[in-house]
Amino acid sequence: MTAAPRRPAASLLRPLAGGRARLRWTHLILGGALLMPYWLLGTVIVGPLIGADTMFSGSLALQFGAFAAALPIAAASALFPVARPLSVAAARAMCGLPDGSLADGPARSRAARVRTVGWFTLHVGLGGIISGMSLALPPFAVALMLLPLSPALRENRLGMPRVFRHDLAVALAPLGGILSLVALAACAAVAGALLARLAPVLLGPTPSDRLAAAERRAADLAVRNRLARELHDSVGHALSAVTLQAGAARRILDSDDPGDREFVREALAAIEETTRRTVGELDSVLGLLRQTDEHEHRDEPPCGPTLDALDTLLAHSGVQVALTVDGDIATVPEQVSREAYRIVQEGLSNALRHGGDAPVTLHVALDTEKLGITMENPLPTTAPVVRPGGGRGLRGVAERATLLGGHASAGPDGPLWRLSVALPPAAGATVRRDRP
């Protein structure tokens, strides 16, 4: 197998005319285009000072004076918040920079604004120079390359230097034209590489940007944790109840006892109702995940059932529950009521997983100081079966209580397993933000 032939010419030209070099050149041309309004304003300021008749005068003093006056004006305009996002978007698209090297969003601190001013001024300054060279040098280079072949060009001279009146200079003119184009490409490549090197320094994230990004990631993670709790409590409870009911129905399916057949019908009806209700809750949670505006679902609590639906939950829980209620739970704020419902649901799931069909006692009490939830069930006589990936339910209960400013505890109390939760009844108005 023969090695591929080397292409030294192509490797030498790539830094000057490769794809990345062309993109950076375009980025510089964009900077020159951004400079034009400031340059025109500069001609209005400098023209009367040097006595120029018109802003389009060919005076070099006017041209360079307007350029010098345009840069401070451009620097001042870069203080606007929109300057950094636009600069970052252009640099990210055309400078070939690695992901994460540039900051997102407007500059928030004074240091970030000063860096943005430095970048924008450098971009339009270098862009103006390279744009001017790109407009002037190619026609001049073409004229030099055609000079030996066109008597009309030699006679007209097109304002060329006097040196091209000599025969030797005319013969070497094509080489001068080629070198002019190479010099233009080299200047553009050097200027583009300089901007690419300075972009992470001037447009990179500052400490305040990193802190804001960390806060956004923490808020997004809090949303994920909140939705994960919703899915765990809703789907986990439904699967536990359905599994228990289906297992009980399967064991007596072949029985001829009319009472057993009636039990099977009730179990199947409970399975149907539980799955239908859970599908509705699952759709509501997945709807939050599908939302494209992160602020929309970050600030809105997840929708779901409240304590008003407690009777339906207990009726299809798959376990016998003795419920006592003290106080008017309909007056509990919606967010507290929703979290309390999930806490009861998770308590029932734990009773199903570890206590089987043992009866459960649930006491809900509301007074002026707290909403109390106490759930008790007999401890299993045999070691419970721990499913893989389990063990997050009680942690979710504790998180829900803490986020509302309450507290939760769970553990054995003699022959019983007790779950106790206390929630401030008015915590829905002052709920703390999720934090991982």
Side-chain angles (χ1 to χ4, degrees), residues 157-306:
R157 305 301 182 189
L158 295 176
M160 292 184 181
R162 297 173 60 88
V163 67
F164 289 106
R165 296 181 182 180
H166 301 286
D167 294 338
L168 180 60
V170 171
L172 295 176
L175 178 60
I178 295 174
L179 292 178
S180 298
L181 294 178
V182 173
L184 172 60
C187 291
V190 171
L194 177 63
L195 286 180
R197 181 178 292 273
L198 292 178
V201 178
L202 298 177
L203 295 179
T206 62
S208 60
D209 294 321
R210 294 188 179 93
L211 178 60
E215 291 178 348
R216 288 194 299 269
R217 287 193 296 269
D220 292 339
L221 182 59
V223 171
R224 292 171 182 264
N225 290 340
R226 186 177 64 187
L227 296 179
R229 286 197 302 269
E230 295 293 320
L231 288 174
H232 176 275
D233 293 349
S234 176
V235 178
H237 168 76
L239 291 178
S240 298
V242 166
T243 301
L244 182 64
Q245 292 162 343
R250 178 183 57 81
R251 286 193 295 270
I252 62 174
L253 184 62
D254 297 330
S255 174
D256 295 331
D257 188 345
D260 290 342
R261 287 197 296 271
E262 182 62 25
F263 174 80
V264 172
R265 293 191 187 94
E266 293 177 357
L268 292 176
I271 290 173
E272 180 183 5
E273 176 62 26
T274 300
T275 53
R276 181 184 294 112
R277 185 182 69 251
T278 305
V279 167
E281 295 177 10
L282 183 62
D283 286 342
S284 67
V285 175
L286 293 180
L288 294 175
L289 288 173
R290 295 190 188 102
Q291 290 176 356
T292 56
D293 186 357
E294 64 177 5
H295 297 287
E296 183 179 353
H297 72 257
R298 180 180 299 168
D299 296 333
E300 291 294 332
C303 54
T306 62

Side-chain angles (χ1 to χ4, degrees), residues 23-207:
L23 272 178
R24 291 177 177 176
W25 199 337
T26 305
H27 186 237
L28 289 165
I29 298 297
L30 175 62
L34 293 174
L35 180 69
M36 282 303 298
Y38 306 108
W39 181 84
L40 292 175
L41 184 58
T43 59
V44 174
I45 297 173
V46 175
L49 298 178
I50 63 175
D53 297 333
T54 174
M55 68 173 61
F56 299 106
S57 171
S59 169
L60 290 179
L62 176 63
Q63 305 298 323
F64 286 104
F67 178 80
L71 293 181
I73 303 174
S77 67
L79 292 172
F80 288 96
V82 74
R84 190 171 76 165
L86 293 178
S87 298
V88 167
R92 184 176 285 143
M94 298 182 183
C95 288
L97 300 173
D99 294 337
S101 60
L102 302 182
D104 294 318
R108 296 177 176 83
S109 63
R110 179 180 298 178
R113 289 193 291 269
V114 170
R115 293 180 185 181
T116 304
V117 168
W119 165 265
F120 189 75
T121 306
L122 182 64
H123 181 206
V124 298
L126 289 178
I129 295 173
I130 297 300
S131 297
M133 294 174 61
S134 300
L135 289 174
L137 278 181
F140 179 72
V142 171
L144 287 180
M145 288 185 283
L146 295 178
L147 193 60
L149 305 177
S150 174
L153 286 176
R154 290 196 298 273
E155 293 173 1
N156 192 2
R157 305 301 182 189
L158 295 176
M160 292 184 181
R162 297 173 60 88
V163 67
F164 289 106
R165 296 181 182 180
H166 301 286
D167 294 338
L168 180 60
V170 171
L172 295 176
L175 178 60
I178 295 174
L179 292 178
S180 298
L181 294 178
V182 173
L184 172 60
C187 291
V190 171
L194 177 63
L195 286 180
R197 181 178 292 273
L198 292 178
V201 178
L202 298 177
L203 295 179
T206 62

